[in-house]
Amino acid sequence: MQASARYKEPGQKLVQARIEYDSEIRAVEILGDFFIYPEEAISLIEKSLLGMRVSSSKDELAERVRKAASENGIEMIGVTPEGIATAVYTAMIA
Amino acid sequence: MKWRIIGLEKHDAYFNMAIDEVLMEGIRGGTSPPTIRFYGWSPSAVSIGRFQSMEEEVDVEKCREIGVDYVRRITGGGAVYHDTAGEVTYSIAGSESEFPKGIRESYAYICRYVINGLAGLGIDSEFAPINDIIHKGKKISGSAQTRRGGVLLQHGTVLYSLDVRRMFSVLKVSKEKISDKQIRAAEERVTSVSQIKDVSINGLYSALLGAFTEDKEHSFGIWSKEETAAAEKLRIRVYGTRRWNFNR
């Protein structure tokens, strides 16, 4: 299945998740008008969410993103791990 | 540190984006000096942020119909309509050591030049984090920054005049964004220099030039042949391609 959801966290930029999933997330694309440094590292954040079960909680999704960011020295401005997690979660339950 | 200033010039969207990347590479490799450039867009163009979807942000069909270019930037941030007669754009690129270390701090530091330039025209404005400058609550300037290989590049635009109908004919404005800011009409979110002061676009350019250069050793320069050749290559390889512009 394919799904997409947008989320605007107060005080942050818009974030959108496009996902493909069955019982697990098979593909993820994170879009929006935020900033990620270095920019190429967005693929590492997207990759960190692959294989997550559709029953995952927002916290579990956010933890994956947080870990990928800290392990790879990624700086996120205008978007948070929780914001990305919320967009992905919303897409999954839609 | 002596800065090169490239005075106001107009290019198409693909060259404008390509030369910024060439500049960063040149500074990293020691073949380009730290540079501040002022430019416009001919034809008018829409630029989208690195992480945006062209199809979701831009009415591509409308752009084709009215001859507006569309390009993905190297930087994050949002979609911007660059009217050929309606704005002055700047890029500043130099070693990261020339700027505050923190990204948020360096946005504020560079945006201060724009604020000072506007103040020189008698326009009060303030920095609105992350990357905007506002006048009486309305956006008048937006910027975006990237860093790679020890080089910082920030580019940004100052609105001189505003054709709202045209802007929103090519941009698809998201409902979420507008509702969050609790503003019903998208038109009410932005203003422009000519709406506030009776000044020419060259007057705006001069004010920005003065503000960006007053604390720096600098001289006016031009692009080297190598730089323009590299930008033409990059246009063909990246910025003019569907593969880059529609990659999300």
Side-chain angles (χ1 to χ4, degrees):
Chain A
M1 293 219 292
Q2 293 186 335
S4 172
R6 288 171 174 233
Y7 177 61
K8 176 77 173 70
E9 201 177 346
Q12 305 287 340
K13 305 280 188 181
L14 184 73
V15 59
Q16 178 185 0
R18 281 187 194 151
I19 59 169
E20 277 179 42
Y21 64 101
D22 39 41
S23 61
E24 296 176 355
I25 297 175
R26 298 294 174 192
V28 186
E29 209 171 28
I30 306 295
L31 302 93
D33 56 352
F34 48 79
F35 299 89
I36 285 180
Y37 299 95
E39 288 84 0
E40 291 79 7
I42 195 163
S43 62
L44 299 174
I45 289 173
E46 291 166 340
K47 207 171 146 191
S48 76
L49 294 163
L50 297 179
M52 291 295 281
R53 300 196 61 81
V54 290
S55 55
S56 300
S57 68
K58 261 189 238 180
D59 285 349
E60 286 167 330
L61 296 167
E63 184 49 36
R64 281 295 187 103
V65 174
R66 203 174 297 117
K67 190 160 173 276
S70 75
E71 283 177 357
N72 296 288
I74 297 167
E75 187 165 357
M76 303 164 75
I77 295 184
V79 67
T80 65
E82 291 72 23
I84 290 174
T86 302
V88 171
Y89 183 80
T90 309
M92 286 195 303
I93 61 168
Chain B
M1 179 59 60
K2 190 166 185 180
W3 291 77
R4 173 178 59 171
I5 309 300
I6 307 256
L8 190 60
E9 56 183 15
K10 276 190 184 178
H11 297 287
D12 70 21
Y14 313 108
F15 182 89
N16 274 334
M17 293 298 94
I19 199 76
D20 273 357
E21 185 172 342
V22 166
L23 186 52
M24 287 189 87
E25 289 301 314
I27 293 168
R28 176 158 76 171
T31 52
S32 297
T35 298
I36 299 168
R37 59 179 289 238
F38 296 94
Y39 56 104
W41 306 68
S42 182
S44 298
V46 179
S47 74
I48 61 165
R50 178 70 171 262
F51 309 115
Q52 293 189 298
S53 156
M54 184 67 79
E55 272 155 354
E56 291 190 28
E57 299 297 331
V58 180
D59 188 337
V60 171
E61 281 307 308
K62 182 71 181 177
C63 285
R64 287 200 191 110
E65 185 190 316
I66 63 174
V68 169
D69 285 343
Y70 39 93
V71 70
R72 178 182 303 281
R73 296 191 306 271
I74 197 174
T75 51
V80 183
Y81 170 63
H82 307 277
D83 192 272
T84 192
E87 62 166 61
V88 175
T89 313
Y90 74 86
S91 296
I92 179 168
S95 164
E96 277 186 275
S97 61
E98 297 288 323
F99 304 95
K101 194 159 183 259
I103 289 169
R104 292 168 196 272
E105 292 74 21
S106 56
Y107 268 114
Y109 180 86
I110 295 168
C111 285
R112 175 58 51 189
Y113 297 129
V114 176
I115 292 167
N116 290 347
L118 290 172
L121 297 172
I123 297 172
D124 283 333
S125 64
E126 58 185 309
F127 180 55
I130 302 161
N131 58 329
D132 289 340
I133 293 169
I134 56 172
H135 166 79
K136 293 184 177 167
K138 295 183 179 186
K139 180 168 173 172
I140 193 165
S141 171
S143 296
Q145 181 186 128
T146 185
R147 297 175 180 213
R148 55 162 76 172
V151 177
L152 181 156
L153 177 133
Q154 182 166 312
H155 46 206
T157 183
V158 182
L159 276 164
Y160 173 71
S161 65
L162 193 56
D163 184 341
V164 174
R165 192 174 298 173
R166 197 169 164 88
M167 176 160 80
F168 288 107
S169 77
V170 293
L171 293 180
K172 297 178 180 171
V173 179
S174 85
K175 292 183 196 74
E176 291 89 343
K177 190 164 182 174
I178 298 168
S179 64
D180 177 69
K181 294 189 178 178
Q182 298 180 328
I183 294 168
R184 288 170 205 279
E187 290 91 334
E188 288 178 16
R189 293 191 296 122
V190 282
T191 187
S192 66
V193 168
S194 65
Q195 282 173 275
I196 305 164
K197 283 281 167 187
D198 184 15
V199 59
S200 68
I201 195 162
N202 271 323
L204 169 60
Y205 161 58
S206 297
L208 292 172
L209 176 66
F212 270 86
T213 55
E214 68 181 351
D215 62 348
K216 296 179 191 69
E217 194 186 340
H218 64 275
S219 60
F220 282 87
I222 55 169
W223 301 114
S224 71
K225 281 191 184 119
E226 291 76 17
E227 286 171 319
T228 50
E232 287 304 331
K233 259 189 207 164
L234 207 51
R235 165 217 293 278
I236 292 163
R237 215 160 41 95
V238 179
Y239 293 99
T241 67
R242 189 170 175 86
R243 185 168 48 85
W244 168 257
N245 289 320
F246 288 80
N247 71 9
R248 268 171 197 266

